[in-house]
Amino acid sequence: MASQSANLWVLLGLGLAGILIMTRKLKKAVKADFGAFVERLKLLPPPQPPPPKAPHPLTGLSFAISDVFDVNGFVTGFGNPDWSRTHEPANQTSTVVTTLVEGGATCTGRTVVDDMAFGISGEQIHFDTPTNPAAPARMPGGSSSGAAVAVAANFVDFSLGTDAVGGVRVPAAYCGVLGFRPSHGTVSHTGIIPVSASLDTVGWSARDPSILRRVGHVLLQVPFAAQRNPRNVVIADDCFQLLKSPGDHVSQAVTKAVEKLFGRQILRHENLEAYLNSKVPSLKLFADKKFNGERKSSSTNLLAFAMHMLRRHEFKQNHLEWINAAKPNLDPVISSQMQGALEITDTNIDSCHAIRNEMRSALNDLLKDDGILVIPTVAEPPPKTGAKEIQSEDYQIRSCSFSSIASMSGVCQVCVPVGFHDKCPISVSFVARQGGDRFLLDTIQTMYADLQEQAELATKTSASGNALSKETSAEMAKEKGNQAFKEKQWQKAIGFYTEAIKLNGNSATYFSNRAAAHLEMRNFLQAEADSSKAIDLDKKNVKAYLRRGTAREMLGYYKEAIEDFRYALVLEPTNKRASLSADRLKKFCP
């Protein structure tokens, strides 16, 4: 294990050196610190306590802080030179920074944030945009861009940022590091410039899950508790199907890691779109009011839209007075968002609050005490540096569509890197209930090595040209259908069986299974058609004859139904169902 870790850091070092050597190929030169820092400083921890007392829990670790955290004697820049010009140095250090320093860690600098910590791409119009160490031609993600870059480039062991709509999670995903957003309200915000009070959290990034966890234990200040394994792991299949990167490989890596560590019985597959539609009725009402009853996008996109509306409103309340007075040079994204914020009504905000309350209840019902929801972190790779798309509201919504689930429910989420696709980092996120922060951090530490192993196997399989065949993918869809059928989720089962049929239309089992689900839905014509197709593919499929016989009986085709049941008896003479059904129908066809 030690040698593997050493090799990993050697490769990372070579990769970073390669980036610096290849700077001529980039549009701008890469700074020695990758443009991560706006200011270098040093906050040293107190002396170690004498034995036999234990050393400070974060001894030996270094960290950086986003330029939204106050440090006594320094002006907090908030990503905008006009803000720095019009504000005095802080007279005390942020509570969370003090806690980490007293815990034994050394703070080494302040890092770049998007203008007024409001963006999501990581582009900075006032300073050089930090270079993404994992993908130098791509954006680093925001708002805590420099914090993620400092960790990814190995300048610090961990970093602090703020996360309202994805400010820590999105940069972590774009830069290929771990990123944690705690449950809303669990970490102090004293001495931090606010963006959106009902969404703001203090988050942190790290390369090592044990460091991520150690920082969490210090900041969350939760009492010691025995580590618990998850009892329920819910994979949001529909979310992974929306990805532009290979979502199947990611979800399968999670599935195999969970099976190995905790057993297959705790795995569950969920259509999150359908779940949110049923559990968050205010989301539909919000869409009806906003779009005159016409659904414009998925539930997660609508959720992101409501989240951005709430953030704009609260940002305006916090900072519009200063913007009007100082007339600062602002990023066009902020200017356009502020214009939109002026049009937000109290009714809109009431709708957003209703959605938040229902989301909190929906996620806690789904996950309970020891459950985990598995979702993608971001919907697509980081945009290329200088891309115009980042100015659009569509990008703002897409980039935060999955982040909105935790932001709008107040639950905790961790982003975990799982390799690369097309030279861009890919990641997966794990979500636990509100207050389940320690449980989530413990679980990630337990799973991390196996998850990386499974992700690497999936990558190697793909690289060697042995990617999952359509037949294998079809079998996976069928198994999901079987699981949904067992849970009496008939429509969901039909969807999975349909997916399997699209991938492999030569399997009698897929058609026969879909016929069974159609029977449960009382779709008798569809059940008859699927059973007939199954019989065409396999003349000895007993279940298909039984299901077609049942469908025909319900449609009133008694003679044809008897023939199906009798043929099933020829194939399987001891089949009681076929025998009883044939006898029962004799009175209709003497």
Side-chain angles (χ1 to χ4, degrees):
M1 193 70 183
S3 63
Q4 288 180 350
S5 179
N7 290 337
L8 176 63
W9 290 117
V10 167
L11 289 172
L12 179 60
L14 290 172
L16 297 179
I19 292 170
L20 292 170
I21 292 169
M22 298 295 288
T23 54
R24 291 182 182 178
K25 294 187 177 182
L26 300 177
K27 292 182 180 179
K28 63 182 181 68
V30 177
K31 294 181 179 180
D33 67 354
F34 286 74
F37 291 89
V38 291
E39 191 169 23
R40 289 286 191 169
L41 53 85
K42 187 157 284 193
L43 301 179
L44 297 173
Q48 293 292 338
K53 290 184 178 181
H56 299 307
L58 302 179
T59 296
L61 298 182
S62 62
F63 72 105
I65 57 174
S66 292
D67 196 16
V68 296
F69 294 87
D70 287 345
V71 175
N72 187 26
F74 293 84
V75 176
T76 307
F78 205 22
N80 187 290
D82 291 314
W83 182 277
S84 299
R85 176 178 56 80
T86 57
H87 286 78
E88 298 296 322
N91 56 19
Q92 63 180 10
T93 299
S94 167
T95 300
V96 67
V97 176
T98 301
T99 301
L100 292 171
V101 172
E102 290 177 349
T106 299
C107 181
T108 64
R110 298 149 70 97
T111 54
V112 173
V113 294
D114 287 4
D115 193 359
M116 298 189 77
F118 198 81
I120 199 69
S121 68
E123 184 178 54
Q124 239 294 357
I125 67 165
H126 306 297
F127 313 101
D128 287 336
T129 298
T131 301
N132 184 339
R138 303 276 178 163
M139 294 284 189
S143 61
S144 303
S145 54
V149 168
V151 170
N154 201 24
F155 294 125
V156 290
D157 297 303
F158 68 95
S159 64
L160 279 187
T162 54
D163 187 312
V165 301
V168 167
R169 292 163 290 167
V170 172
Y174 283 5
C175 294
V177 297
L178 292 147
F180 184 73
R181 173 196 165 95
S183 300
H184 185 261
T186 56
V187 179
S188 171
H189 269 257
T190 303
I192 304 171
I193 302 176
V195 172
S196 171
S198 66
L199 299 171
D200 280 344
T201 58
V202 174
W204 52 98
S205 300
R207 295 180 306 279
D208 186 323
S210 66
I211 292 176
L212 196 79
R213 179 172 175 256
R214 285 167 65 187
V215 173
H217 286 185
V218 170
L219 290 183
L220 297 167
Q221 298 183 350
V222 291
F224 174 79
Q227 186 167 334
R228 310 185 309 276
N229 288 336
R231 296 180 184 177
N232 192 21
V233 175
V234 182
I235 298 179
D237 291 313
D238 57 317
C239 294
F240 285 99
Q241 290 165 8
L242 297 173
L243 294 185
K244 293 186 178 180
S245 56
D248 276 350
H249 288 179
V250 176
S251 59
Q252 280 304 300
V254 174
T255 297
K256 290 184 179 297
V258 169
E259 288 178 349
K260 179 179 177 181
L261 291 166
F262 311 120
R264 181 180 296 182
Q265 72 281 357
I266 72 167
L267 277 165
R268 218 175 91 212
H269 296 274
E270 186 70 61
N271 183 309
L272 195 62
E273 169 90 4
Y275 183 80
L276 294 182
N277 284 339
S278 66
K279 293 289 187 177
V280 190
S282 292
L283 200 57
K284 182 181 184 303
L285 294 174
F286 175 79
D288 290 344
K289 290 176 182 177
K290 192 67 186 171
F291 305 115
N292 298 319
E294 182 182 349
R295 289 299 297 272
K296 294 285 185 182
S297 57
S298 66
S299 293
T300 51
N301 280 351
L302 282 171
L303 193 62
F305 192 94
M307 176 183 69
H308 279 286
M309 179 177 289
L310 184 59
R311 180 180 66 146
R312 286 200 301 267
H313 174 72
E314 294 181 346
F315 183 88
K316 180 191 75 171
Q317 289 182 320
N318 288 322
H319 304 301
L320 185 61
E321 183 178 344
W322 174 81
I323 291 173
N324 288 337
K327 295 182 170 42
N329 178 24
L330 291 177
D331 187 303
V333 171
I334 299 182
S335 299
S336 63
Q337 296 274 337
M338 284 301 93
Q339 189 62 38
L342 297 175
E343 302 167 3
I344 297 173
T345 66
D346 290 342
T347 301
N348 294 145
I349 298 306
D350 288 343
S351 297
C352 293
H353 288 153
I355 291 169
R356 288 186 73 240
N357 292 336
E358 290 171 7
M359 276 295 297
R360 182 178 294 113
S361 177
L363 265 292
N364 286 335
D365 284 348
L366 179 68
L367 301 175
K368 300 194 174 10
D369 286 342
D370 296 328
I372 286 176
L373 172 66
V374 183
I375 58 173
T377 309
V378 289
E380 53 195 60
K384 291 182 179 179
T385 303
K388 294 181 179 178
E389 66 181 279
I390 64 171
Q391 302 290 338
S392 70
E393 184 176 60
D394 185 49
Y395 166 74
Q396 303 289 322
I397 297 299
R398 289 196 324 269
S399 59
C400 297
S401 59
F402 298 128
S403 301
S404 65
I405 295 166
S407 291
M408 288 294 279
S409 60
V411 300
C412 52
Q413 177 179 339
V414 61
C415 158
V416 182
V418 284
F420 286 76
H421 177 70
D422 286 345
K423 299 181 180 179
C424 290
I426 53 176
S427 68
V428 65
S429 273
F430 297 82
V431 176
R433 66 169 177 83
Q434 190 173 32
D437 304 68
R438 179 167 189 153
F439 160 70
L440 182 58
L441 288 167
D442 289 348
T443 300
I444 293 307
Q445 169 139 343
T446 301
M447 287 187 63
Y448 187 79
D450 287 286
L451 183 58
Q452 298 306 309
E453 179 184 353
Q454 294 300 331
E456 186 178 356
L457 285 173
T459 302
K460 285 181 178 178
T461 299
S462 177
S464 64
N466 294 323
L468 289 173
S469 65
K470 284 189 175 182
E471 289 78 9
T472 303
S473 298
E475 276 296 297
M476 287 161 50
K478 182 204 76 174
E479 288 302 320
K480 292 175 184 177
N482 291 349
Q483 178 68 26
F485 192 93
K486 288 177 185 177
E487 295 170 0
K488 299 184 179 180
Q489 298 181 20
W490 319 122
Q491 192 61 53
K492 183 177 175 182
I494 289 170
F496 283 126
Y497 293 140
T498 300
E499 182 184 342
I501 288 167
K502 287 179 180 178
L503 291 164
N504 179 13
N506 296 317
S507 170
T509 300
Y510 303 161
F511 284 100
S512 180
N513 286 8
R514 190 169 70 174
H518 277 307
L519 285 175
E520 296 290 348
M521 295 285 291
R522 302 186 67 80
N523 300 331
F524 301 123
L525 287 172
Q526 294 95 323
E528 182 191 28
D530 275 346
S531 299
S532 296
K533 180 63 177 178
I535 290 166
D536 288 343
L537 292 168
D538 180 5
K539 302 295 185 186
K540 296 183 179 181
N541 192 315
V542 175
K543 289 181 179 178
Y545 283 105
L546 292 172
R547 288 162 184 168
R548 188 170 72 175
T550 301
R552 287 176 167 176
E553 178 183 355
M554 300 307 295
L555 291 168
Y557 305 146
Y558 300 124
K559 181 178 179 181
E560 291 83 355
I562 289 175
E563 290 176 357
D564 281 334
F565 292 132
R566 285 176 175 169
Y567 201 87
L569 281 170
V570 171
L571 295 171
E572 200 173 278
T574 59
N575 192 300
K576 291 183 179 180
R577 178 184 166 189
S579 178
L580 290 172
S581 297
D583 290 341
R584 184 179 65 253
L585 291 178
K586 282 180 182 178
K587 60 183 177 181
F588 298 106
C589 300

